[in-house]
Amino acid sequence: MPELPEVEHAARSLGAQVTGAQIVGLSYIDWERMIETPTAAIFADLIAGRQIIEVGRRAKWIVATLDQGWTLALHLRMSGVVTVQGPEAQPNKHTRFVLGLSDGRQIFFDDTRKFGRLRLLDAQGLALLDQAHGVEPLSEAFTPSLLAQIVSERGTRIKPLLLDQTKIAGIGNIYADEALWHAQIHPMRAASSLSADEIERLHASIIVALQQGITHGGSTLRDYRNSYGEKGNNQEHFRVYNQQGEPCPRCGSMIEKTIVAQRGTHYCPNCQTL
DNA sequence: CATTACCTGCAA
DNA sequence: TTGCAGGTAATG
């Protein structure tokens, strides 16, 4: 499910509800393998009593700053959903862990496919997480000249380059296709073949596509919900993603779906130039 | 770069 | 029954 706009909403809605709250402990876990560091037992020990200072996002990670120098980092991968529930809520078939709060509320993590990942990090671990990712595309640091530099590096096609989290953080399959449509660039274009003009357009288009996603509360194809349990609406505003067989909103040609770098890829064969 | 693996559920 | 899904890591 979640790419930058969805994780942004997940983090914001979580922060709105639990900033300042105190974690009593890990009250339920049924998939210990999702805790990457430390071990589940040590995690349970360390998380008990922590206060949540702030909730933010880095790349596709929800990052919660805790007291005593700890950071809780949660990746939703494909089907993860974090919600805040009342004291009466019970784990269901897809609930992977629950954190109890001192006021009785509970932070639930549901994840059908069990791909979600959880880490409790010290300052060094947090620094490593940060270093593992590229520029935040909605930050000031993301400029056309930086994109020009990224694009010139190697002989890869443009779509897989957009999906590379070590280059630009947070773009996934939906927003890569949407951004390339806005920029009128074919997903199979050699990245290094982009003109200065196209790089300008792509830079602006990445921001437009992500901002549009945020504006509409993220995209809910199946699982995505924010921490209030609400779906996003951006799927109603897709230009190409899942629009195969529909007319291109710009030129009217039929949108096609193909495979690029092993991912389903949607584009207009007429107005996205190869 | 491509393929496979990790998991589960759903639509074709 | 098969293939596919918003993501990523590990392996040829």
Side-chain angles (χ1 to χ4, degrees):
Chain A
M1 101 173 107
E3 305 178 28
L4 187 153
E6 292 76 37
V7 180
E8 181 68 27
H9 274 285
R12 283 187 202 170
S13 56
L14 183 63
Q17 297 180 88
V18 303
T19 298
Q22 188 176 35
I23 297 167
V24 175
L26 180 67
S27 56
Y28 178 86
I29 178 138
D30 95 326
W31 190 243
E32 295 196 359
R33 282 158 61 183
M34 76 168 292
I35 305 181
E36 292 184 321
T37 180
T39 66
I42 297 171
F43 175 88
D45 190 50
L46 290 170
I47 202 71
R50 298 285 65 71
Q51 187 177 21
I52 300 169
I53 309 296
E54 181 175 30
V55 182
R57 177 191 61 76
R58 171 69 172 116
K60 297 175 190 170
W61 288 86
I62 296 171
V63 174
T65 306
L66 309 178
D67 63 0
Q68 297 190 7
W70 294 105
T71 298
L72 189 63
L74 177 64
H75 200 301
L76 307 174
R77 292 282 183 98
M78 294 289 268
S79 59
V81 176
V82 207
T83 53
V84 180
Q85 306 277 341
E88 71 294 339
Q90 295 295 324
N92 62 59
K93 184 179 177 185
H94 297 126
T95 304
R96 303 307 172 199
F97 74 84
V98 177
L99 294 175
L101 301 179
S102 63
D103 59 13
R105 292 180 303 156
Q106 312 180 75
I107 298 174
F108 267 56
F109 181 69
D110 290 0
D111 183 18
T112 303
R113 294 179 70 180
K114 300 179 172 176
F115 288 166
R117 292 295 180 266
L118 185 64
R119 299 177 184 174
L120 184 62
L121 304 169
D122 59 16
Q124 187 187 8
L126 179 60
L128 289 173
L129 180 74
D130 183 54
Q131 288 160 25
H133 295 94
V135 65
E136 284 291 331
L138 297 182
S139 74
E140 299 288 317
F142 183 57
T143 59
S145 67
L146 179 56
L147 181 59
Q149 196 183 309
I150 290 168
V151 141
S152 68
E153 280 170 17
R154 276 174 331 187
T156 159
R157 289 169 294 178
I158 190 61
K159 174 159 175 178
L161 184 68
L162 293 181
L163 295 176
D164 184 343
Q165 302 300 299
T166 70
K167 303 284 192 301
I168 304 171
I171 301 173
N173 208 34
I174 293 176
Y175 296 97
D177 284 3
E178 293 292 308
L180 288 168
W181 179 85
H182 280 288
Q184 303 186 50
I185 295 168
H186 194 290
M188 301 250 278
R189 272 288 289 286
S192 59
S193 76
L194 297 191
S195 67
D197 202 50
E198 288 174 318
I199 291 168
E200 255 334 305
R201 260 164 34 211
L202 182 56
H203 172 265
S205 299
I206 288 168
I207 295 169
V208 163
L210 293 173
Q211 279 294 165
Q212 182 199 287
I214 291 175
T215 298
H216 295 121
S219 305
T220 297
L221 298 181
R222 178 188 298 281
D223 303 299
Y224 174 70
R225 303 284 130 87
N226 66 23
S227 302
Y228 296 104
E230 301 163 336
K231 297 181 182 183
N233 297 313
N234 193 238
Q235 64 283 2
E236 295 161 21
H237 301 272
F238 289 157
R239 305 301 207 282
V240 284
Y241 191 86
N242 272 176
Q243 302 310 116
Q244 59 272 28
E246 298 293 320
C248 170
R250 185 168 42 222
C251 77
S253 299
M254 192 181 283
I255 302 296
E256 290 184 8
K257 181 178 182 184
T258 183
I259 304 287
V260 177
Q262 288 69 247
R263 307 298 303 276
T265 297
H266 315 76
Y267 66 103
C268 172
N270 181 51
C271 64
Q272 290 180 251
T273 56
L274 191 60

